[in-house]
Amino acid sequence: MKNKFTLAAIQLNTQDDKEQNLKDMERYIAQAASKRADIVALPEMMNYIGKDYLEGEEIPGRTTNILCKLAKKYNLWIHGGSISESNGEKLPFNTTVFINPNGEIIAKYSKLHMFDVELKDGTKVRESDHFTPGEEIVTAQTDLATFGFAICYDMRFPELFRIMALQGAQVIIVPANFTMHTGKDHWEPLLRARAIENACYVVAPAQIGNKSRFASYGKTMIIDPWGNIIAKASDIPCVITAEIDLSLIASIRAQIPSIKSRREDVYKLERI
Ligand SMILES: O=C(O)CNC(=O)[C@H](CS)NC(=O)CCC(=O)C(=O)O
């Protein structure tokens, strides 16, 4: 396994023109490849955000087939930020895919926690009216690193990240479409806390721009296991990159053994 590799995160302003969104995704993946990225990650709902909800795509399907071709063309890993995944007669899942450089989908994750809120700024969202929550915690061991997967609102649930860290996750990818109202106060502290408490990298590709339901906060960022923000996007659609050095994880965990010194004997949480 390489100890160091280059990770790119894409910030998008996805709107309700799916054809344009797919073109934008392709353009920014090409840009990430030109920056010699080994892996590129895209934001939540990367192919469509509109006032109504698209019906879901099969996986594999049109959007993921495009990503698989691009992964092979550019010989890189692609973490496909989420799309609406069809679920038979039921509401679709909000699902991300993880694609290897051979263009194969090796993992997929459906968002566990549904964003059902009424915010002081008037933002009212009921994600559970439009999506079915996932049922599984997903990590993937690869020759690059061991990755963990979450989506957006999931980042408010530290137990999910702790379980993925205990399952060996070294880099946790959290595609998002955060609201401006919550993002201005919570985005950075939540992401940095998940990185610090688990001594792992956290990568958050985000949506930016005004959308039909709420304005998106943006601030795509890559955070190291110490909690330093090692790359952060301007408020435009763009690609940011950072070098991932997995040896940092071991050195930080040797200094601060917060994972090892957990009091499982006291917590008695059946799941962990
Ligand atoms: O609805 C769509 O089009 C795509 N899905 C989203 O944008 C989701 C659900 S509305 N957004 C969030 O979960 C924001 C979480 C957030 O902002 C927080 O936790 O503070």
Side-chain angles (χ1 to χ4, degrees), residues 44-45 48-50 53 82 94 111 113-115 119 125-127 131 151-156 176-180 182-183 186 190 213-214:
E44 182 172 23
M45 287 298 148
Y48 180 86
I49 295 181
Y53 287 78
S82 69
N94 182 350
K111 187 174 182 181
H113 302 93
M114 294 289 103
F115 188 56
L119 303 177
V125 176
R126 285 193 59 75
E127 188 174 15
F131 291 98
I151 302 174
C152 208
Y153 184 49
D154 286 335
M155 73 173 77
R156 292 178 180 277
N177 176 29
F178 240 61
T179 78
M180 191 65 83
T182 53
H186 297 169
L190 284 169
R213 270 179 291 288
F214 51 77

Side-chain angles (χ1 to χ4, degrees), residues 162 166 258-272:
R162 178 47 57 89
L166 291 171
S258 55
I259 298 254
K260 219 161 62 188
S261 31
R262 292 175 67 254
R263 292 297 309 275
E264 293 183 39
D265 57 315
V266 174
Y267 307 147
K268 295 191 177 48
L269 292 180
E270 84 260 2
R271 180 64 208 239
I272 297 183

Side-chain angles (χ1 to χ4, degrees), residues 56 85-93 130-132:
E85 177 192 15
S86 55
N87 176 25
E89 293 305 306
K90 298 198 228 101
L91 289 174
F93 293 111
H130 305 282
F131 291 98
T132 301

Side-chain angles (χ1 to χ4, degrees), residues 23-215:
K23 285 196 191 98
D24 291 345
M25 286 162 52
E26 187 148 359
R27 183 154 50 83
Y28 286 113
I29 289 169
Q31 217 180 84
S34 71
K35 293 171 182 250
R36 316 193 70 68
D38 297 292
I39 174 172
V40 60
L42 293 104
E44 182 172 23
M45 287 298 148
M46 59 187 166
N47 67 355
Y48 180 86
I49 295 181
K51 67 182 180 330
D52 45 28
Y53 287 78
L54 278 194
E55 63 171 36
E57 285 188 24
E58 297 287 321
I59 291 180
R62 181 173 181 218
T63 298
T64 58
N65 290 340
I66 292 171
L67 295 183
C68 290
K69 279 201 190 81
L70 293 170
K72 203 166 170 65
K73 175 178 177 182
Y74 295 117
N75 186 34
L76 45 62
W77 290 82
I78 297 183
H79 183 263
S82 69
I83 61 167
S84 175
E85 177 192 15
S86 55
N87 176 25
E89 293 305 306
K90 298 198 228 101
L91 289 174
F93 293 111
N94 182 350
T95 299
T96 60
V97 290
F98 195 38
I99 300 165
N100 69 16
N102 290 332
E104 298 151 337
I105 297 174
I106 64 134
K108 66 177 187 162
Y109 164 74
S110 296
K111 187 174 182 181
L112 290 174
H113 302 93
M114 294 289 103
F115 188 56
D116 294 350
V117 297
E118 287 191 39
L119 303 177
K120 225 172 63 193
D121 74 335
T123 304
K124 192 164 177 291
V125 176
R126 285 193 59 75
E127 188 174 15
S128 56
D129 286 352
H130 305 282
F131 291 98
T132 301
E135 294 295 332
E136 241 194 311
I137 296 172
V138 180
T139 55
Q141 198 170 352
T142 77
D143 57 12
L144 207 53
T146 298
F147 293 90
F149 308 118
I151 302 174
C152 208
Y153 184 49
D154 286 335
M155 73 173 77
R156 292 178 180 277
F157 302 86
E159 55 273 46
L160 169 61
F161 286 66
R162 178 47 57 89
I163 290 170
M164 291 194 283
L166 291 171
Q167 289 178 350
Q170 297 166 302
V171 181
I172 299 180
I173 306 178
V174 198
N177 176 29
F178 240 61
T179 78
M180 191 65 83
H181 182 65
T182 53
K184 66 183 174 21
D185 302 313
H186 297 169
W187 173 256
E188 184 176 315
L190 284 169
L191 290 168
R192 292 189 66 201
R194 298 298 82 87
I196 294 164
E197 64 202 7
N198 296 296
C200 68
Y201 282 91
V202 170
V203 181
Q207 287 286 347
I208 182 94
N210 286 322
K211 320 263 189 210
S212 44
R213 270 179 291 288
F214 51 77

